[in-house]
Amino acid sequence: MIFKFFGGAQEVGRSAIMLKDERSLMLDFGVKIEKKMEYPASIPRVDGMILSHAHLDHSGFTPGMYSEEHPPIFGTLPTLRLSNLLLDDALSIAKKNHTNPRFHKQQVKAMIDKFIALDYGHTAHLGNFDITLYDAGHICGSSITLVERAKAKSHKRIVYTGDFKLEPQLLHNGAEIVKSDILITESTYAEKEHMDKRKTTKEFIEQVNETLDNGGNVLLPVFAVGRSQEILTLLHKNGLASSTYIDGMAKEATSIVSNFPKFISNHEELAKAIREVNWISEHSERKGVLDEPSIILTTSGMLTGGPVLNYIGRLNKNSSILLTGFQQEGTNGRTLIEKGYVTMEGQKKKIDTPVTLYDFSAHAGKSDLYEYVRKSSPSVVICVHGDKENAKSMAESLRLEGYEAYAPKIGDTIKIGE
Ligand SMILES: [Zn+2]
Ligand SMILES: [Zn+2]
């Protein structure tokens, strides 16, 4: 059994892990969105692919696989629909910016044609591999993948967590624990516990209410897939959906998610929120939104583009900007927090509106990562999807606990068993 790492190894982004015995299987094939786009190290020939969830750091280069070869790709139906949305958007952004996305629309179509949609708990077969997906509790349709090798003498059960969260979110139950012999786990927050969720939620809602009471606007830059729906539901639960405007790709993503009640734990609440929230459909409607105290839920989450840039310079002095997701180095979100400016159309623009960052992470924190490993009870653990420090420290701690643990880097090959 061989594992080869094309991306997402000692880094967060461009997840791409190949496993190989009689057949080869690529687990995710994403991009890394920093100052410039980074892709998996190369495009190997594979017999099949798994797409754990729609986020571009997992799905962003799947079409790159479909130029000559057309391998089947397994994932859930919401993952297909949501990744289609994000890939189409990535193509239009590339066109607008005159950059080369390294794949064409036809390749997205070819990928979709080869997609095999699986419900959680159902098994598909690829040669000697039996593939079953389980709920990862991260975003709508996100999966933990079990690859079983029925004929193998040892290391029969390989589990790939993708991105997961053990603690339930408003719209998702916690991740399912899947027993494994070899566990490939994310390690994003191997060194960090998340803030207490109840406390974070309370402070967030208090700040929203305070801003509205002072006559300000609350600007909420959010990731289209996952965070938009969670925050919208949270606002609705606190009686704030009718003061909220939703704009940009957050709208399409929310519509898609609402079509998959089976893949969310609280569909009723989301449906009610969708009925109450105000949808911005025309560019011209954006102006009026800021005339009165209001909440604007819009993309992009790291302020790298999208309608959020249309709003940010026009907020009145009592307004606030609340960030609810990780802000990657080199993005407007990061310069806004650290230096108080964003860059628009090549120009630096100083932003005086106060900015607060809230930790609403959809990833497992430190103790939950270790809990998952212990309960999954593998003998071998491979730590991926974490920066160098996090991945290495997790592997090291696990070795001290008696596991055979690795934190591979890109280009590494790990051979296990026969
Ligand atoms: Zn993700
Ligand atoms: Zn990820």
Side-chain angles (χ1 to χ4, degrees):
M1 183 88 238
I2 284 173
F3 296 87
K4 209 169 164 179
F5 302 86
F6 293 83
Q10 294 190 13
E11 67 179 347
V12 176
R14 56 168 160 172
S15 285
I17 303 156
M18 187 169 82
L19 61 91
K20 192 171 181 343
D21 62 359
E22 279 167 34
R23 301 285 174 99
S24 56
L25 194 57
M26 181 63 79
L27 309 172
D28 290 333
F29 212 56
V31 291
K32 187 171 175 180
I33 308 163
E34 283 198 343
K35 269 188 187 139
K36 74 179 207 343
M37 193 73 91
E38 289 182 72
Y39 297 86
S42 60
I43 307 176
R45 207 205 68 78
V46 293
D47 299 307
M49 294 181 75
I50 303 282
L51 182 52
S52 68
H53 67 290
H55 283 153
L56 287 173
D57 58 321
H58 301 259
S59 69
F61 202 42
T62 47
M65 224 15 130
Y66 294 81
S67 52
E68 279 149 42
E69 306 290 334
H70 289 81
I73 175 164
F74 302 89
T76 62
L77 199 53
T79 292
L80 172 65
R81 298 275 181 263
L82 291 166
S83 51
N84 193 359
L85 173 75
L86 295 180
L87 290 166
D88 283 350
D89 182 63
L91 280 176
S92 43
I93 291 173
K95 196 172 172 191
K96 205 170 118 201
N97 297 343
H98 307 288
T99 53
N100 177 7
R102 293 183 51 183
F103 62 86
H104 304 290
K105 207 166 171 60
Q106 296 87 305
Q107 284 166 276
V108 178
K109 192 178 171 302
M111 186 272 275
I112 291 166
D113 287 345
K114 294 304 281 188
F115 202 94
I116 296 169
L118 286 178
D119 275 340
Y120 294 140
H122 290 225
T123 302
H125 308 282
L126 182 82
N128 53 330
F129 296 138
D130 297 335
I131 298 162
T132 314
L133 306 181
Y134 296 89
D135 192 351
H138 173 63
I139 60 165
C140 182
S142 64
S143 328
I144 288 177
T145 307
L146 166 66
V147 179
E148 280 174 292
R149 302 188 304 146
K151 285 186 278 173
K153 290 194 190 76
S154 65
H155 303 102
K156 283 175 182 286
R157 292 169 68 88
I158 299 151
V159 169
Y160 171 53
T161 66
D163 294 355
F164 76 97
K165 190 163 181 81
L166 269 190
E167 201 188 343
Q169 303 184 72
L170 287 177
L171 297 175
H172 298 284
N173 296 321
E176 290 180 76
I177 308 272
V178 187
K179 293 280 181 200
S180 62
D181 299 311
I182 301 172
L183 178 68
I184 307 164
T185 177
E186 68 140 308
S187 57
T188 323
Y189 294 107
E191 303 232 275
K192 184 180 167 239
E193 294 293 1
H194 293 307
M195 298 278 289
D196 177 71
K197 210 168 65 217
R198 227 176 280 170
K199 187 165 171 277
T200 306
T201 305
K202 187 169 169 279
E203 286 173 6
F204 174 82
I205 293 297
E206 272 170 11
Q207 197 180 353
V208 171
N209 280 319
E210 213 172 281
T211 305
L212 295 178
D213 290 346
N214 291 336
N217 306 113
V218 182
L219 184 61
L220 295 173
V222 282
F223 303 110
V225 174
R227 197 58 40 83
S228 307
Q229 295 80 47
E230 282 286 322
I231 297 289
L232 175 61
T233 308
L234 177 64
L235 292 169
H236 175 260
K237 269 176 80 97
N238 287 276
L240 293 162
S242 57
S243 318
T244 303
Y245 293 82
I246 186 166
D247 196 355
M249 221 185 18
K251 289 181 303 184
E252 287 86 356
T254 302
S255 301
I256 293 174
V257 169
S258 72
N259 286 331
F260 292 102
K262 258 197 326 195
F263 288 87
I264 41 183
S265 61
N266 201 347
H267 183 252
E268 297 252 302
E269 190 89 48
L270 178 65
K272 279 189 218 154
I274 287 174
R275 279 198 293 277
E276 253 181 63
V277 73
N278 306 285
W279 298 71
I280 298 288
S281 45
E282 300 277 335
H283 199 281
S284 59
E285 291 168 16
R286 285 180 186 157
K287 200 170 178 303
V289 168
L290 301 179
D291 291 346
E292 54 188 56
S294 60
I295 303 163
I296 303 118
L297 188 66
T298 188
T299 40
S300 73
M302 298 190 207
L303 301 99
T304 45
V308 68
L309 297 178
N310 194 285
Y311 292 106
I312 197 166
R314 302 192 291 119
L315 302 168
N316 74 36
K317 64 177 184 359
N318 296 320
S319 300
S320 46
I321 302 170
L322 312 187
L323 300 172
T324 55
F326 174 72
Q327 303 295 319
Q328 190 117 28
E329 192 92 42
T331 60
N332 270 336
R334 186 61 89 84
T335 59
L336 180 64
I337 302 170
E338 289 176 354
K339 296 171 186 145
Y341 74 84
V342 295
T343 307
M344 294 197 274
E345 286 159 1
Q347 303 282 322
K348 277 186 192 174
K349 185 172 171 59
K350 195 173 174 315
I351 302 294
D352 294 321
T353 314
V355 185
T356 318
L357 177 62
Y358 287 92
D359 179 2
F360 279 107
S361 179
H363 290 268
K366 182 177 180 175
S367 41
D368 285 356
L369 283 173
Y370 284 92
E371 186 182 330
Y372 199 94
V373 174
R374 286 173 201 130
K375 289 187 171 163
S376 173
S377 69
S379 54
V380 181
V381 187
I382 301 172
C383 304
V384 296
H385 198 294
D387 63 19
K388 195 172 171 182
E389 257 168 55
N390 281 284
K392 284 180 101 168
S393 81
M394 186 168 177
E396 207 161 297
S397 310
L398 289 170
R399 276 196 292 274
L400 293 174
E401 289 188 31
Y403 296 93
E404 181 182 341
Y406 302 89
K409 53 186 192 310
I410 294 180
D412 281 1
T413 301
I414 298 175
K415 191 169 182 295
I416 292 161
E418 79 277 25

